[in-house]
Amino acid sequence: TIRIFNEFRDRDLTSLAHRITVPTLVIAGEYDEVASLQSVQEFASKLHHGTLKVFDHAGHVVPLEMPLTVASSIRHWLHDLE
């Protein structure tokens, strides 16, 4: 499992983003030290129907750091899709 995580972590998936054609919510933390905000913004901009939500005062694991805030954001995003 750790080997798979490390392989995934080191890959830049931006070149594949254009292949994702479904609505996608990209969640990022303002202080993420693993995936820079610039790289996340670039990835989200390549999506056909991408929405980027940046959480202030959060790092790399936003759902663990702010579970209620993330859940609320996902609910609102899903509601807006309807």
Side-chain angles (χ1 to χ4, degrees):
T1 302
I2 301 247
R3 181 181 58 82
I4 293 170
F5 171 77
N6 287 335
E7 287 178 16
F8 181 74
R9 181 196 67 198
D10 295 335
R11 291 196 180 177
D12 180 4
L13 301 176
T14 304
S15 65
L16 301 175
H18 72 279
R19 297 175 61 188
I20 300 171
T21 59
V22 296
T24 305
L25 177 61
V26 179
I27 294 173
E30 175 184 25
Y31 299 120
D32 190 334
E33 294 181 3
V34 177
S36 72
L37 188 52
Q38 179 181 351
S39 67
V40 174
Q41 289 170 328
E42 181 181 351
F43 178 81
S45 74
K46 306 278 187 204
L47 296 167
H48 289 280
H49 304 285
T51 301
L52 174 61
K53 174 66 177 163
V54 179
F55 290 85
D56 296 336
H57 311 293
H60 185 66
V61 193
V62 184
L64 293 178
E65 296 173 50
M66 310 174 131
L68 298 178
T69 305
V70 170
S72 177
S73 293
I74 292 170
R75 273 195 306 276
H76 284 97
W77 179 77
L78 289 170
H79 180 265
D80 290 345
L81 288 179
E82 295 176 352

